[in-house]
Amino acid sequence: MDFTPTEEQQAASALAAEIFTDLSTPDRLAALGTAADAELWKALCAAGLPGAAEETGLLGLALLLEEQGRTTAQVPFAASCVYGVLAVARHGTGEQRDRLLPGLRAGARVAAGALPAQAGVRAEAGVRAEAGRLTGVVPVVPWLREATDVLVADAGRRLWLVRGDDPGVGRQSVETTAPWSAGRLDLAGARGERLGGPGAYAEVLATARTAFAALQAGVCAGSLARAVSHTTTREQFGRPLSTNQGVLLRAADAYMDTEAIRVTAYEAAWRRDEGLDAAPHALTAAWWAAEAGTRVVHAGQHLHGGIGADVEHPVHRHFLWGRQLGAYAGSGAALLEELGDLLTEQGRPPDGDGRSSDEEGRLAHEESRRTHGETRRTDEEGRA
């Protein structure tokens, strides 16, 4: 394993940090409510950062999402990159990539994801195998209000792309404690187009878990940074709060939890980029994001003392993000159960040609890169 960022990843991360720090200020966030920051999204797209996720891989995206998490910037960056750019780039047909990727890279199209699969979402195949009609309800979809396209997983774990303006798509705002917009997705015979084949759902879900774990690492790092700043400047009985052993131990535990989230997310992202099986590693990262992430933001709020209870204080936003991302990652017990089932399944003797999951993943990755490379060369020749 080598998590050392490439020059391209470092440059993209530094640029993202600059944009998020300059534009995602506490005053702007307070004025936004639950709305997306259109000006910030425009700046990110002008810098080419949504499209950079395709070039720098999931590990590169993880670095960008950490910077977003540090400032709790209200843009659909993670959702659109995971459920749009990366999903279409890896699993889309040549025609789908040509049609969808330019808009997703430029930010003109925004993707949201109705994942994990919902038992109540059904798909009836159309005349063409790649088309269908979707019916069902997904109670909460983050960033649904801003989405032009929604990636929906049906009960059979097939992926479908649905246009947000389709007559069969109903979107209702859902007010949660999350500081970002969410919506209820009602599908009534909505037209959908298939994305990918067998295995696409599992890969996209693992990618999403990894990306949102990286976002959680940034949220936790931002919360901890605020707590450190507060406890080192606030004095009690003539000395900084940070000199108290209880404060030091609580901050140290939060730091170790944050690093655990980060390193597990990095490992899952690196394995995905290398074409290796990343499903169990993504589940591990999601578990740390759910369990440890909640502990860290609670510690950050607690270390602020009475100020931490002020809902208008910036640290409270980190608390809300941490709690909501933890819930979005899933129940810790459920994630562990899924991880145990997956490891048990992988421990069984291989079927067919005896290839391991890593070998199968690497072959699929190489085929995807080859096909995608041919498509990009065709595009470049056409422009020439």
Side-chain angles (χ1 to χ4, degrees):
M1 292 181 292
D2 184 5
F3 304 152
T4 304
T6 64
E7 291 185 6
E8 291 79 7
Q9 291 170 339
Q10 289 177 327
S13 179
L15 179 58
E18 180 180 351
I19 295 174
F20 284 128
T21 302
D22 289 346
L23 296 182
S24 185
T25 62
D27 290 341
R28 283 176 60 86
L29 289 169
L32 283 170
T34 60
D37 191 334
E39 182 180 345
L40 174 56
W41 181 244
K42 183 178 180 180
L44 292 170
C45 295
L49 291 180
E54 186 183 355
E55 303 297 331
T56 61
L58 185 54
L59 184 55
L61 177 60
L63 296 173
L64 302 182
L65 293 177
E66 275 195 79
E67 299 303 333
Q68 179 188 359
R70 291 177 196 275
T71 60
T72 60
Q74 288 184 199
V75 285
F77 192 48
S80 196
C81 287
V82 170
Y83 300 123
V85 176
L86 295 183
V88 173
R90 172 161 286 197
H91 300 290
T93 63
E95 187 277 332
Q96 286 175 322
R97 290 196 292 267
D98 292 341
R99 172 165 48 90
L100 300 173
L101 281 178
L104 290 167
R105 292 174 186 144
R109 304 177 79 111
V110 175
L115 274 74
Q118 303 286 324
V121 176
R122 303 179 305 279
E124 297 180 2
V127 177
R128 295 176 296 135
E130 65 272 17
R133 294 280 180 174
L134 278 71
T135 303
V137 175
V138 183
V140 179
V141 179
W143 298 111
L144 181 62
R145 283 188 287 183
E146 284 73 25
T148 58
D149 302 89
V150 187
L151 186 63
V152 181
D154 66 18
R157 299 193 171 190
R158 294 173 296 181
L159 294 179
W160 303 86
L161 278 170
V162 176
R163 287 294 302 266
D165 57 0
D166 186 272
V169 176
R171 297 189 284 185
Q172 299 178 353
S173 295
V174 175
E175 295 299 327
T176 69
T177 56
W180 61 75
S181 64
R184 168 191 166 104
L185 179 66
D186 292 288
L187 301 170
R191 291 173 296 180
E193 59 175 308
R194 281 292 303 275
L195 183 71
Y201 168 79
E203 194 279 332
V204 172
L205 181 59
T207 299
R209 283 168 165 164
T210 303
F212 284 100
L215 182 60
Q216 180 76 302
V219 170
C220 291
S223 174
L224 184 57
R226 291 190 178 279
V228 170
S229 176
H230 175 77
T231 56
T232 53
T233 57
R234 187 68 175 263
E235 292 189 356
Q236 187 179 58
F237 305 118
R239 63 177 186 172
L241 290 172
S242 60
T243 60
N244 294 318
Q245 188 178 42
V247 172
L248 290 171
L249 292 174
R250 191 78 187 274
D253 286 342
Y255 173 79
M256 294 303 295
D257 274 339
T258 301
E259 289 302 298
I261 301 171
R262 177 182 288 114
V263 73
T264 52
Y266 282 6
E267 181 180 10
W270 176 84
R271 290 183 66 87
R272 187 262 188 192
D273 290 343
E274 293 297 312
L276 304 174
D277 177 30
H281 305 81
L283 277 166
T284 302
W287 182 86
W288 277 104
E291 295 290 308
T294 302
R295 288 197 298 266
V296 172
V297 295
H298 272 268
Q301 192 175 42
H302 189 197
L303 289 173
H304 277 77
I307 297 176
D310 182 0
V311 296
E312 296 182 357
H313 193 279
V315 76
H316 186 67
R317 186 172 296 275
H318 287 272
F319 176 79
L320 292 179
W321 272 72
R323 291 287 299 180
Q324 285 291 329
L325 286 172
Y328 189 57
S331 160
L335 290 169
L336 285 181
E337 181 179 4
E338 185 178 347
L339 178 59
D341 291 341
L342 181 61
L343 294 176
T344 300
E345 180 68 25
Q346 290 184 346
R348 293 173 183 168
D351 297 326
D353 57 8
R355 290 174 180 165
S356 68
S357 57
D358 277 357
E359 291 171 331
E360 292 176 348
R362 187 182 295 107
L363 290 172
H365 178 65
E366 291 175 354
E367 174 63 18
S368 175
R369 292 185 63 180
R370 183 187 65 78
T371 304
H372 193 197
E374 291 175 353
T375 301
R376 293 183 70 87
R377 285 195 296 273
T378 302
D379 291 344
E380 292 170 358
E381 292 171 356
R383 286 194 294 270

